Amino acid sequence: MSTMKTLKPRIAVMTSGGDAQGMNAAVRSVVRTALDMGADCFAIQDGYSGMVAGGDEIRPMHWGDVGGIIHRGGTVIGTARCLEFRARPGRLTAAKNLIQKDISRLVIIGGDGSLTGANTFKNEWPSLLEELVDTQQITLAQAAAHPDLHIVGLVGSIDNDMCGTDITIGADTALHRITEAIDAISSTAASHQRAFIVEVMGRNCGYLALMAGIATGADWVLIPENPPNGEDWEKRMCNIMLDGRKEGRRDSIVVLSEGAVDRQGREITASRLQGILESHMEEEVRITILGHVQRGGTPSAFDRNLSSQLGWYAAKYVIESQPGSESMMIGIENNRVIHKPLMQCVRMTHSCNDAIGNRDFRTALNIRGHNFKRNFRILRTLVRARPHEIPADHQPKTFAIMNCGGPAPGMNAGTRAAARLLLDQGHKVLGIQRGIKGLINDWIIELGWMDCNGWAPLGGSELGTSRRLPPEPEFYSIAQTIERYNIDGILIIGGISGYTVANMINSRRDHFPAFHIPMVCIPASIDNDLPDTELSVGTDTALNNIMNAVDKIKQSAVASNRAFVVEVMGRRCGYLATMGGLATGAERVYTHEEGVTIEDLSADVRDLTAAFKDGKKLGLLIRSEDAHPVYTTDFTRRLLEAESGDIFSVRQSVLGHIQQGGDPTPFDRIFATRLAAESIDKLQALVKDNRDDQLYIGLKNGELTFNPVEDFLRQMDQENARPREQWWLELMPIAQLLAKSEPTVDHAQSNVL
Ligand code: ADP
């Protein structure tokens, strides 16, 4: 009888080139997914340097080796730039070192340089092995066991400069650092009425500068892909600053991308810009070059969750990769993980850089894509000191903006963008104060250009908001207010109560002719519990608030063998709990969707006790507030306490309203701005066509789409007040896998390949 040799797959992971926040979460995910699949996983220290050095620089990784790293910036396995690897002799040594460890499957986390290097290595692999055999550095059998080098690349780059993925690992966190810095600079600039130039990273990609400009409400942004037009751009830029001051703006901020050039291709440096601004503005202009702080600090929730997903996919992909397969890049497109031939992405990235070098800016912008261009156009309007002159024959309409439901961070950015974009089209804009109460009680203000200046970074709702639903007699007052102000269209930025108000108005149109006007609802709710949209405004901020609080709680607990039960918001929608759990490495997440049983709780007590006995120092359980009516947070804490004996202690923490507060994250500000821009375009078009559609907007599969407000309830699981479809449920198994105390498979038995 022949015995089949058990082949245990072996992979290695490494980080290379510039470090990026989120690399640790990716490494953790690759290692744990591989181990869970029964593979052996190695880490290569310091990128290609470690590969060329070999020996202990390529070391086996165990489950616990990647514990406690998810919240750390940088990369715990080190990164480097390695000159030797650029030449064949360096790659020959690297190949020998890998073969000696029996490795030919690699997950490489780095920028386009590192990934290009990886592909060259792959292409040369057969000839490298031949040379190693010929020079008797490896045996024929060793070479035969590894006919192919399998490469899977993840893009770690704060610059978001890689084509083929919507976003790279680290870009969101870098944007957090930039936004925090510009918010801080804005307050000192405003105190002294000063102008600042803030230079941000990005190499050939203006993503960070553009997004930071939208998120912070900067006055001017310079990016490599779209230099300012015209001979007199310097004068126009300075006039915007001066006009802004005249209109009452106290600070002037120019965001400069480090790779920015003018139309002639000459570099626009911070000092050149300073000279231009000082000579026109006749005041001192300060320069802040943000530099490496942009690479630093704890990764954002988005980067941790993105990296965890990508790492999981990459490990699976490289383990299952078949002979002859191409090098692949794993990225994200329209909120879904995708893989694409790596070199196709690298080539496209280089063609964008070449286009900028050749001053073919139209091509560069086209390569960046539709959203990039659209964001740039929106920014150009938002930064104006005052709206465009309106032609005399223009017929202005009246639009009203209302915030509804709980305050969701980003509401103000959305309101500001909607107001300015409408004013710029020559319309009258009304702000309805305190939600539906304002429509009932005639609490209406007119919003001018400067009235919402400085709103983008503000949390809460400057207009005021309310969860109230109008009782029947009050619809009459609402109709009267709409008629009194001649309101032609309404934009509602809010949560379920906003949608419900819109739906109530919609269903009473037969009784009130005033209700025959178009309306659009923008999803804004920290709970992410609205239908037909993958995300709501405010959710990202809440998630980051949860993550930051839990990071602190974990730090406090680690010294004392303690388990924490942390309760987060979301009512019966488990989005915050699940994504918060993924971002913080919680070992257990309780949600209403999944349900909680006494068997689950008993198993959790048993697992936790065993893990603490095994040397675990910290336990983290995240519970969605309405996960179960009886097995409450307090119940769970007491149950664990009673069963844990003196092995570990248990505390509970109900995070409460800190989840709703604080400055909105860059994503929430930008997302609110995009939704507002799209919604007001729709509203204007409807008004123009004499239509009275009442709609809600959402983001699905990368598209912004509108749905009739009558559909809202149909798309909801009404009993549980959450959408019927929740895309993120598919992430639960990944979160569960990564947070386990040990792999499931028995390695000795595994036979994946
Ligand atoms: P990033 O990966 O962040 O773009 P680099 O371009 O500096 O950073 O690349 C990191 C490392 O990847 C380099 O130091 C080198 O070891 C390797 N590398 C980059 N480009 C190549 C290439 N064309 N051929 C071989 N190795 C390369």
Side-chain angles (χ1 to χ4, degrees), residues 16-18 48 80-82 85-86 91 110-114 116-117 120 203:
S16 170
Y48 292 118
R81 296 204 152 92
C82 169
F85 192 79
R86 287 183 177 270
R91 295 195 286 272
D112 66 330
S114 306
T116 306
T120 308
R203 296 201 283 189

Side-chain angles (χ1 to χ4, degrees), residues 4 6 22 29 32 48-49 57 120 168 229 297 313 369 484 634 660 693 736:
M4 210 171 75
T6 307
S29 180
R32 291 196 167 170
Y48 292 118
S49 305
E57 300 296 280
T120 308
T168 55
N229 276 315
Y313 197 104
R484 192 171 322 121
D634 192 50
Q660 269 183 356
D693 306 42
Q736 281 159 4

Side-chain angles (χ1 to χ4, degrees), residues 69-84:
I69 64 168
I70 196 171
H71 61 286
R72 287 165 66 179
T75 158
V76 295
I77 59 171
T79 183
R81 296 204 152 92
C82 169
L83 212 56
E84 273 176 288

